[in-house]
Amino acid sequence: MKAPFKAKISMKLVISLMSVVVVSGISSVFISLYVINKNVMGQAYDDVQSNLNTARHIYNERTKIINMFINHLSSLGYLQAAILQNNRSLLVEKLIEVKRELGIDIMNITDSNGRIIARANSYAVFGDDQSGDEYVKYVIDHKKSCAGSDIITRDQLMLESNELADQAYIRVIRTPRARAINKTVEVNGLCKKAAAPIFSGGRFIGVIYGVKLLNNNFELVDRIKKLLFKDERIGGYEIGTVTIFMDDLRISTNVKNRNGERAVGTQVSEEVYRKVFERGDVWLDKAFVVNRWYLSGYSPIKDLDDKVIGILYVGILEEKYNRVRRNATIFTLMVILITAFIAGLLSIYLTKSIVTPIQNLVEASKQLTRGSFQKIEVKSADEMGYLCDTFNGMIDAISERDRKLKEQTEMQMAQSEKLASLGRLASGIAHEINNPLTGVLSYSTVLYEEMKDPEYRADVKVIIDETLRCREIVKGILDFARETKIDKRPGNLNRIITELLSIIEKHVNFQNIRIKKDLAENLPEIYIDANQIKQVFNNLAVNAADAMHMGGELTIKTEYDGEKKKIIVTVSDTGSGIKKDNLTKIFDPFFTTKDTGKGTGLGLSVTYGIVQRHNGTIRVDSEEGVGTTFTIEFPVEPAGNGTEKKQ
Ligand SMILES: Nc1ncnc2c1ncn2[C@@H]1O[C@H](COP(=O)(O)OP(=O)(O)OP(=O)(O)O)[C@@H](O)[C@H]1O
Ligand SMILES: [Mg+2]
C-alpha cells in the first residue's frame, strides 16, 4: 500500500513543479531569443545607420573642401588680373600648381560666357565651350559658387586627358540579381565638382571650377572604411565595406570579389536600385554583397538638380552580429538551463521534504493500528511539522490511555481472581461453621430458657448473642461468596436509592452529613434483587459516613448510558479517602481499618458479591484527604434475561 501512495503524491508534486519549471523555461527561452534577436539586430541597424551618416558626412566634407579652395582662388587679385590681361601662361601655371596641391583631377577657368581660358590638364586646348556644364551654367546664371556631385562624360574627360578617360573606363561585370543593362563598359565618370564666379571690380569676368573623378579612385572609400571600421576583420573578411556607385555600378569600392580584387564594375541588386535610385530613399537591410551577407545601408548621391546619379554604400559583415547574437544566446540558454536544473533539484528536494513526513505519518499510523506507538521526528516548523507534532501528541495520549486501561484491567482481573478464590475458601469454612453454630445456638437457647439462676442465665445470653453475631458473619461470607439466594424482579434503582436514603438520613451517623441526590430521569427498569441492592448502597453510605465523622457531603448519582446500555451509579463522599496501598484490599473479606468490634471488613466484600450477581462491576477512585467515589455499572438487559447467572 505504501508504494502506490508514495508514487502518487510525490509524482504529482514533482510533475506539477517540473511543469512549472519546464513551461517557464521554454517561455523564457523564446522570450530571450526574441529579445536578443531584436536587440542585437536593432543595435546592428543603428550601427549601419550611424555609419552611413558618417560616411555621407565625410563624402560631403570632401566636396566642401574643394569648394572652399575654389572660392579662395576666385578671390585672388592676380588671377583676376591675369584673366583681364589674358595672361594664359600664368593662369595655367597657377592652375597646375593648385590642382596638384588639392589632389584633384580637373582645374579650369572659363570666361564669363563659359569658354575655357585656361586648363590645368591639356593646357594647349582652350576656347571650348563649357557653358553646358551644369555647375558652370549655374555660376554664370546665378553669379554664385556651387558644389556637389556630377556625371562627367567621356568626351569631357578626353578633352582633359587620356589618362582621366582611362581612369573612368570600367568594364561592366554581370552580377546576379542585378538590373539588366545592355552596356558592357562604362566610360563616363562620377565626380565631385565645385565652381565659383570670378569678379573684377564688381564685374563678372569668369568661372573657376575643379573636378575630382571618383571612378577607380579608392582614396575616399578606404578613408571612410578606416575611420569607421579600423581594418577590423572576422574570419579573414573585413568587417566593414564602403562603395560608391555610379548608377548601379560599383566605381569605387573596397568590397572584394572572390579573387580578392576590388569588385569594381559589379552592380547593385535590382531591389536596392529600385528603392534608392528610382525613389531616392535610404535602404537599410540585409544584402548579399558579392559573396557574403552584409547589413547594408544605401544612400542616394544626387547632382545639382537633385537627381539621383549614384549611391553611397556602407555594409557591416552580418557575421559580426551573428557572433554577438550567438554568444548572447549561448549565455542565456546556459543561464536558463542551469536555473532550470537548480529549480528541478529544488523541486525534487521540496517534494521530498513534503512527502517524507507524510510517508512517516502513514507508516506511523499503520504501526498505530497494529498497536505499536511509534513517534515521528518533527523536522520543520511549518504546517507539516505542526501536523507531526500533533500526531506525536495523539500517540502520547493514546499510549497513556492504553497503559491506564491495561493497568486497570489487570488490577481488576487480579482482584476478581483473588476474590473468587477467597470466596471459595470462605464459603467452605462458612458452611462447615454454619451447622455447629446452629447446634450451639439451639442448645444455648434451650439452656437459656430452662436456666433459672439469673447469673448463669446472663452468661448463656452472651453465648447466644455471640453465636448470633457469628451467624451474621457467616451470612455475610455466604453473601460475598454468592451463596445466598437471589430474587431478581424488575425494579427502578432511583426508587430503591430514594427509599434507602430516606431511612438512613435519620440515622445518628448522618447527622453532620449533607446528602445530595442527582438521579437521572430516564433510568430504565432492570432486573434486581431490591433487598440486596439496598444493602449495597447501605454499605457504601455507611462507609462514607464512617469516613466523614467530622461531617461532609455524600452524593449519589444515577445516569443512563443509552449507547452502552448501562446504568451508572456513583456514590461519592468528601471523607478521609483511602490509602493507595489499601485500594486493592478493600474488597477483601475481613479487610478493615476500623477498630475491632467496630467493623468486620465484610461490607465491601458483600457489596462486591451482590454487584457481581447482578452482572455489574464496581470500582473505586479515591484520594487521601479529598474523598472517595465508588462507581457501579449495571447492564440493562432485555426482559427475560433477569435470571441469576452463577459464575
Ligand atoms: N467511603 C470510604 N472512605 C474511606 N475508607 C473506606 C470507605 N469505604 C471503605 N473504606 C475502607 O475500606 C475498609 C473496608 O470496608 P468494609 O465496608 O469492607 O469494612 P468495614 O466498613 O471496615 O467493616 P463493615 O463494613 O464490615 O462493618 C474500611 O475499613 C475502610 O478502611
Ligand atoms: Mg463497611
Side-chain angles (χ1 to χ4, degrees):
M1 198 180 138
K2 186 180 165 189
F5 176 80
K6 174 189 167 191
K8 260 188 191 165
I9 291 221
S10 52
M11 275 312 276
K12 270 185 194 168
L13 275 169
V14 167
I15 287 172
S16 54
L17 290 173
M18 286 307 275
S19 58
V20 172
V21 170
V22 168
V23 167
S24 49
I26 289 175
S27 50
S28 35
V29 165
F30 277 109
I31 292 169
S32 319
L33 291 186
Y34 174 75
V35 170
I36 288 170
N37 194 48
K38 208 182 143 167
N39 280 348
V40 171
M41 291 329 277
Q43 178 63 48
Y45 283 110
D46 282 355
D47 286 357
V48 173
Q49 173 81 67
S50 78
N51 284 342
L52 187 63
N53 290 345
T54 311
R56 267 221 83 88
H57 187 75
I58 299 168
Y59 180 90
N60 291 336
E61 207 55 35
R62 262 305 163 84
T63 318
K64 274 186 202 155
I65 291 170
I66 300 171
N67 190 32
M68 230 170 64
F69 264 90
I70 298 292
N71 270 297
H72 170 66
L73 288 170
S74 73
S75 67
L76 294 177
Y78 69 90
L79 276 185
Q80 294 160 11
I83 292 170
L84 289 175
Q85 291 155 16
N86 208 8
N87 187 350
R88 274 195 57 244
S89 58
L90 177 76
L91 289 174
V92 167
E93 193 183 316
K94 191 67 197 167
L95 288 181
I96 291 173
E97 186 191 319
V98 170
K99 177 185 158 241
R100 198 181 324 113
E101 263 173 32
L102 253 173
I104 59 175
D105 300 309
I106 298 171
M107 195 70 228
N108 291 348
I109 294 177
T110 72
D111 63 15
S112 58
N113 296 316
R115 288 186 182 279
I116 295 286
I117 306 171
R119 91 174 348 120
N121 289 310
S122 303
Y123 41 82
V125 182
F126 61 93
D128 49 299
D129 185 5
Q130 290 295 332
S131 63
D133 181 285
E134 244 183 296
Y135 286 72
V136 173
K137 188 172 180 299
Y138 181 91
V139 174
I140 293 171
D141 289 352
H142 297 91
K143 312 287 187 291
K144 270 201 296 192
S145 71
C146 60
S149 304
D150 202 8
I151 302 280
I152 186 162
T153 61
R154 180 174 170 82
D155 291 344
Q156 287 294 329
L157 290 168
M158 288 292 282
L159 268 177
E160 296 300 323
S161 73
N162 286 344
E163 290 82 44
L164 267 183
D166 287 352
Q167 189 193 322
Y169 185 91
I170 288 169
R171 198 175 296 282
V172 174
I173 298 164
R174 293 270 157 250
T175 317
R177 296 204 289 146
R179 173 178 72 115
I181 46 172
N182 42 28
K183 59 181 170 188
T184 53
V185 291
E186 179 59 68
V187 292
N188 297 331
L190 181 71
C191 63
K192 285 174 173 296
K193 221 180 244 183
I198 307 171
F199 294 98
S200 173
R203 190 164 64 91
F204 173 61
I205 57 167
V207 179
I208 179 164
Y209 69 95
V211 176
K212 171 97 183 164
L213 180 63
L214 296 174
N215 291 32
N216 282 312
N217 184 325
F218 308 113
E219 190 262 331
L220 184 59
V221 287
D222 285 352
R223 216 171 76 86
I224 295 174
K225 190 189 87 175
K226 198 168 180 100
L227 266 167
L228 293 178
F229 307 111
K230 298 173 191 68
D231 289 333
E232 233 181 293
R233 281 166 175 274
I234 284 186
Y237 290 93
E238 285 170 358
I239 225 173
T241 51
V242 180
T243 298
I244 296 170
F245 292 87
M246 181 174 113
D247 262 4
D248 60 349
L249 207 65
R250 282 188 181 81
I251 57 156
S252 175
T253 184
N254 38 47
V255 171
K256 305 277 167 56
N257 65 16
R258 279 190 184 76
N259 304 328
E261 298 156 351
R262 293 181 191 261
V264 171
T266 54
Q267 287 172 273
V268 78
S269 74
E270 182 163 12
E271 199 184 357
V272 176
Y273 177 81
R274 296 263 169 259
K275 186 162 171 160
V276 182
F277 210 91
E278 293 184 351
R279 271 180 267 147
D281 292 341
V282 168
W283 160 288
L284 287 180
D285 206 344
K286 222 161 95 160
F288 194 77
V289 177
V290 184
N291 55 9
R292 301 203 76 77
W293 283 100
Y294 283 83
L295 302 176
S296 309
Y298 294 87
S299 170
I301 297 173
K302 295 172 178 174
D303 70 1
L304 204 56
D305 292 337
D306 230 16
K307 196 179 125 228
V308 181
I309 54 172
I311 302 170
L312 180 63
Y313 156 88
V314 170
I316 307 176
L317 206 57
E318 195 200 12
E319 184 64 17
K320 175 182 170 182
Y321 297 99
N322 284 349
R323 279 196 180 187
V324 174
R325 193 159 44 175
R326 198 177 322 130
N327 290 345
T329 305
I330 289 172
F331 178 76
T332 310
L333 288 184
M334 288 289 280
V335 169
I336 291 171
L337 220 88
I338 290 170
T339 314
F341 181 70
I342 292 172
L345 285 184
L346 262 171
S347 73
I348 290 171
Y349 169 79
L350 246 151
T351 305
K352 232 179 149 179
S353 75
I354 293 171
V355 171
T356 308
I358 294 178
Q359 276 173 265
N360 290 345
L361 258 174
V362 170
E363 189 50 36
S365 309
K366 276 200 306 198
Q367 293 290 337
L368 185 64
T369 57
R370 287 193 207 117
S372 129
F373 303 111
Q374 203 180 66
K375 282 202 185 182
I376 42 183
E377 206 182 325
V378 182
K379 279 182 185 155
S380 53
D382 52 11
E383 288 88 342
M384 210 58 233
Y386 180 71
L387 183 63
C388 295
D389 214 29
T390 313
F391 182 86
N392 285 343
M394 192 178 82
I395 291 276
D396 277 344
I398 294 177
S399 69
E400 175 62 16
R401 202 189 61 185
D402 206 56
R403 192 185 57 76
K404 273 192 183 157
L405 215 71
K406 232 186 222 161
E407 213 175 78
Q408 219 168 48
T409 4
E410 270 169 11
M411 211 172 81
Q412 264 174 3
M413 272 177 48
Q415 176 118 333
S416 59
E417 261 169 39
K418 179 180 75 182
L419 292 180
S421 60
L422 262 176
R424 279 192 297 275
L425 175 71
S427 74
I429 296 169
H431 274 301
E432 288 308 314
I433 290 174
N434 218 10
N435 289 342
L437 267 187
T438 316
V440 171
L441 191 61
S442 45
Y443 283 115
S444 52
T445 311
V446 171
L447 204 61
Y448 178 76
E449 279 165 7
E450 287 185 358
M451 187 105 21
K452 296 286 181 269
D453 187 333
E455 203 177 320
Y456 288 122
R457 225 175 121 89
D459 290 345
V460 175
K461 178 77 172 107
V462 172
I463 294 172
I464 291 171
D465 286 350
E466 288 301 303
T467 311
L468 280 172
R469 211 167 76 86
C470 284
R471 227 172 51 169
E472 276 308 302
I473 293 170
V474 168
K475 188 175 168 288
I477 292 172
L478 291 175
D479 276 346
F480 159 66
R482 307 165 215 168
E483 295 288 321
T484 41
K485 277 224 175 101
I486 183 164
D487 184 13
K488 281 188 188 174
R489 290 161 200 277
N492 188 304
L493 277 179
N494 280 350
R495 194 166 42 78
I496 294 169
I497 289 165
T498 311
E499 271 174 25
L500 175 77
L501 289 180
S502 67
I503 298 167
I504 61 170
E505 64 193 359
K506 292 178 191 117
H507 198 277
V508 63
N509 283 6
F510 290 85
Q511 223 73 124
N512 295 327
I513 291 164
R514 212 147 53 84
I515 298 177
K516 245 175 81 179
K517 277 189 294 183
D518 181 4
L519 306 179
E521 280 174 8
N522 61 345
L523 228 52
E525 289 204 328
I526 50 173
Y527 279 86
I528 41 176
D529 184 322
N531 283 329
Q532 292 196 2
I533 290 297
K534 232 179 245 178
Q535 199 185 339
V536 163
F537 292 113
N538 185 55
N539 288 349
L540 293 178
V542 170
N543 281 351
D546 287 347
M548 299 189 286
H549 47 260
M550 300 296 280
E553 191 173 88
L554 170 68
T555 310
I556 299 190
K557 183 179 171 189
T558 59
E559 276 174 280
Y560 175 56
D561 183 339
E563 223 167 84
K564 291 183 185 161
K565 296 231 172 305
K566 272 180 180 173
I567 290 173
I568 302 147
V569 188
T570 50
V571 179
S572 324
D573 64 57
T574 55
S576 57
I578 303 166
K579 275 189 192 150
K580 216 169 175 177
D581 287 351
N582 290 345
L583 276 174
T584 52
K585 300 178 194 158
I586 55 168
F587 294 104
D588 295 359
F590 305 112
F591 175 80
T592 181
T593 57
K594 293 167 190 168
D595 298 340
T596 9
K598 265 209 157 173
T600 48
L602 276 175
L604 284 180
S605 323
V606 170
T607 300
Y608 182 87
I610 295 169
V611 172
Q612 285 254 303
R613 254 166 290 157
H614 284 82
N615 303 324
T617 58
I618 179 167
R619 64 167 199 274
V620 63
D621 293 296
S622 183
E623 198 177 324
E624 271 194 277
V626 177
T628 307
T629 298
F630 283 90
T631 307
I632 304 171
E633 292 183 3
F634 291 107
V636 178
E637 287 161 339
N641 218 9
T643 45
E644 183 191 354
K645 276 185 196 160
K646 277 206 168 185
Q647 284 185 332

